[in-house]
């Protein structure tokens, strides 16, 4: 989604803005632009990749001035043309703005301004904001911004500059992420930390409805009543190297390979030993035994891969912890009049903590009066701040648009929740808990083992990369894993793929199987091995080529029914999605690589979906 960066200080602004925009590229965009303010506003915009903007500005060297704003746009209102790119400069040439979000009442406001003689240059909702601020501007930028935002409906993070205030940026936030940071003699705004971590480690997460006045070395924040707010900075505990490729060809490959470390970080301090053995301790999330004992049902919401992590968790929570669990897409939850009974723990899973639909679902759950738990990666994000309890996934910065390590950290965190609920809520037998925890502790080593030899995955990707349609099948937890595997493949390789519960094949999908169709079977669940074996035979008989992912001890069941068989090491059944994920992510990666796709920045997709 759109990315914002702003700088004011003693250095030339343009190179800092271009650098920040490059760091925000991963969020997904289709055009970019910057305004540098030197008493006059110099604005350059270009559709396509950031390299076009860099070329037009001689890498920023052609624009002189110490204050400016920049933007990467992910088109919503109006095509991704130069003209629709941000910043949007008002007709007077005095005001320039960048915006993330959607102005829902822009038509009404546009008509209102048109009736007052304002001429528009673009098809965007955003231009309404620059023209409106300009309309109210009488030399006091803050006053004009206040008047303008009073009229806005929708979501917005805004960076605003005025020609006659050449060292000032005004930042505004409502339902769209925005951070600010100050160093000696300089100040920044950005959509997220990656854009500015090179310059500062302490950042302020602006609250909703905050207006911040940013000048060199100073930030003053006001709440919606105009009262000065004292916002506490958050210290970022990772450095710039964590957000760089570190020798890997792509961020996605790096992030897949980081999973053993991430798993160790997600588990760290949360599995403790007492006289009776290991147990889960989620007190860092506020989930004390008393809180867990009060849970009667879990209702999980999320989007994309986070939703799939929720589907894995449903099987774990119901199968192992024996707690009723429902999983709903966050975009459906908010409009489905959900029946959420007392005693429900609503769990919002989100890597970014800024997904618009997930934020709305969280607020809906809170309005319904139930407890909420955020399973979130980004510290200080909106979902983390608004939920009652926060279980951080500790995956570190994830840059590739298609998630890998953040997804598996979500699965690991939810596994801990399932084990904790099994102990404190359902009174599961200690030996059953031990069996899971003993294997969970060993899991990072098993992940390393899988990652140390990926030749079969590479072989499969080189054999199948030119298929135009792929079907994933699985049962139980393997079905949940298949949902995510299918999404991964289609996201980055643009190959059509669908995931089906194996038992559903005969109810329709099997009509699509013909000689040469690729079917990928996830078969790691012992109790369902014979069932999925039958499903594999059904498609094989009809000419399908089958790639099977199974465990070492189940592999003998599948030697005569698959074309390529990839084994993962044996582990507790509850944990298999954490291992099957690795070859499935790598298959998607190498298939996309063989197809020459832009793996880290797939077309049309955004890392963080901050609009509805
Ligand atoms: C986007 C990303 C997905 C992600 C989903 C939810 O679609 O491309 O990788 O799973 O949003 O994002 P969240 O930050 O809420 O986990």
């Amino acid at each position: 989604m759109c990315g914002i960066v702003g700088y004011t200080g003693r250095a030339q602004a343009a190179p800092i803005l271009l650098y920040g925009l490059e760091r925000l590229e991963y969020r997904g965009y289709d055009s970019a632009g910057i305004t540098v303010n030197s008493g006059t506003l110099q604005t350059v915009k270009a559709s396509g990749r950031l390299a076009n903007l860099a070329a037009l500005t001689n890498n920023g060297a052609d624009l002189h001035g110490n204050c400016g704003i920049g933007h990467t746009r992910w088109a919503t209102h109006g095509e991704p043309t130069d003209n629709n790119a941000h910043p949007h400069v008002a007709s007077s040439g005095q005001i320039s703005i960048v915006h993330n979000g959607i102005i829902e009442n822009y038509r009404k406001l546009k008509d209102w301004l048109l009736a007052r003689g304002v001429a528009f240059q673009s098809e965007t909702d955003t231009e309404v904001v620059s023209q409106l601020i300009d309309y109210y501007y009488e030399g006091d930028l803050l006053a004009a911004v206040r008047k303008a935002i009073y009229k806005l409906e929708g979501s917005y993070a805004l960076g605003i500059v005025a020609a006659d205030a050449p060292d000032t940026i005004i930042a505004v936030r409502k339902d769209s992420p925005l951070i600010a940071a100050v160093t000696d003699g300089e100040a920044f705004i950005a959509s997220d930390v990656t854009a500015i971590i090179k310059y500062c480690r302490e950042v302020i997460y602006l609250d909703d409805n905050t207006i911040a006045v940013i000048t060199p070395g100073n930030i003053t924040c006001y709440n919606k009543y105009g009262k000065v707010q004292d916002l506490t900075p958050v210290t970022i505990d990772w450095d710039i190297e964590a957000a760089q490729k570190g020798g890997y060809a792509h961020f996605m490959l790096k992030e897949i390979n980081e999973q053993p470390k991430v798993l160790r970080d997600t588990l760290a301090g949360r599995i403790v030993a007492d006289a009776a053995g290991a147990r889960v301790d989620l007190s860092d999330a506020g989930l004390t035994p008393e809180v867990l004992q009060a849970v009667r049902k879990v209702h999980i919401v999320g989007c994309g891969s986070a939703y799939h992590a929720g589907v894995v968790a449903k099987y774990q929570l119901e199968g192992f912890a024996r707690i009723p669990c429902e999983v709903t897409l966050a975009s459906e939850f908010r409009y489905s009049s959900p029946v959420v009974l007392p005693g429900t723990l609503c769990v919002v899973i989100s890597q970014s903590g800024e997904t618009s639909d997930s934020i709305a679902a969280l607020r809906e759950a809170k309005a319904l009066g139930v407890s909420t738990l955020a399973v979130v990666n980004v510290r200080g994000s909106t979902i983390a701040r608004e939920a009652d309890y926060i279980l951080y996934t500790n995956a570190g910065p994830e840059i590739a648009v298609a998630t890998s390590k953040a997804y598996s950290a979500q699965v690991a965190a939810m596994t801990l929740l399932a084990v904790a609920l099994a102990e404190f809520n359902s009174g599961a037998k200690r030996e059953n808990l031990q069996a899971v925890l003993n294997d969970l502790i060993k899991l990072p080593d098993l992940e390393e083992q899988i990652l140390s030899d990926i030749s079969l995955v590479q072989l499969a990707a080189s054999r199948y990369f030119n298929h135009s349609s792929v079907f994933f099948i699985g049962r139980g937890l393997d079905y949940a894993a298949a949902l995510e595997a299918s999404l991964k493949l289609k996201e980055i390789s643009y190959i059509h793929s669908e995931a089906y519960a194996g038992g559903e094949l005969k109810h329709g999908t099997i009509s699509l199987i013909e000689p040469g169709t690729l079917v990928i079977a996830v078969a790691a669940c012992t109790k369902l091995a014979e069932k999925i074996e039958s499903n594999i035979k059904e498609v094989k008989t009809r000419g399908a080529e089958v790639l099977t992912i199974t465990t070492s001890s189940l592999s003998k069941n599948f030697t005569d029914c698959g074309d390529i068989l990839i084994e993962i090491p044996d582990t507790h059944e509850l944990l298999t999605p954490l291992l099957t994920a690795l070859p499935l992510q790598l298959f998607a990666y190498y298939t996309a690589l063989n197809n020459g796709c832009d793996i880290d920045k797939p077309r049309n997709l955004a890392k963080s979906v901050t609009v509805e």
Side-chain angles (χ1 to χ4, degrees), residues 520-541:
I520 301 182
V522 190
C525 287
T526 309
K527 65 175 184 289
L528 293 166
E530 287 169 6
K531 305 288 175 197
I532 195 76
E533 186 185 339
S534 305
N535 298 139
I536 293 173
K537 287 191 170 138
E538 285 156 12
V539 295
K540 196 87 193 103
T541 313

Side-chain angles (χ1 to χ4, degrees), residues 302-307 349-356 358 375 383 398 400-404 406-407 410 484 487-488 491 605-609:
C303 300
S305 301
Y307 168 78
I349 306 179
S350 174
Q351 187 283 129
S352 61
E354 299 292 354
T355 302
S356 167
S358 303
V375 176
I383 293 173
E398 189 176 67
V401 166
T403 178
S404 55
Y407 160 79
Q410 289 163 349
E484 173 58 11
L487 176 64
K488 212 76 329 187
E491 274 181 313
L605 292 178
K607 179 77 184 155
S608 179
V609 181

Side-chain angles (χ1 to χ4, degrees), residues 569-582:
D570 289 319
T571 186
H572 191 289
E573 194 138 319
L574 209 61
L575 308 177
T576 53
L578 285 162
L579 294 187
T580 52
L582 302 186

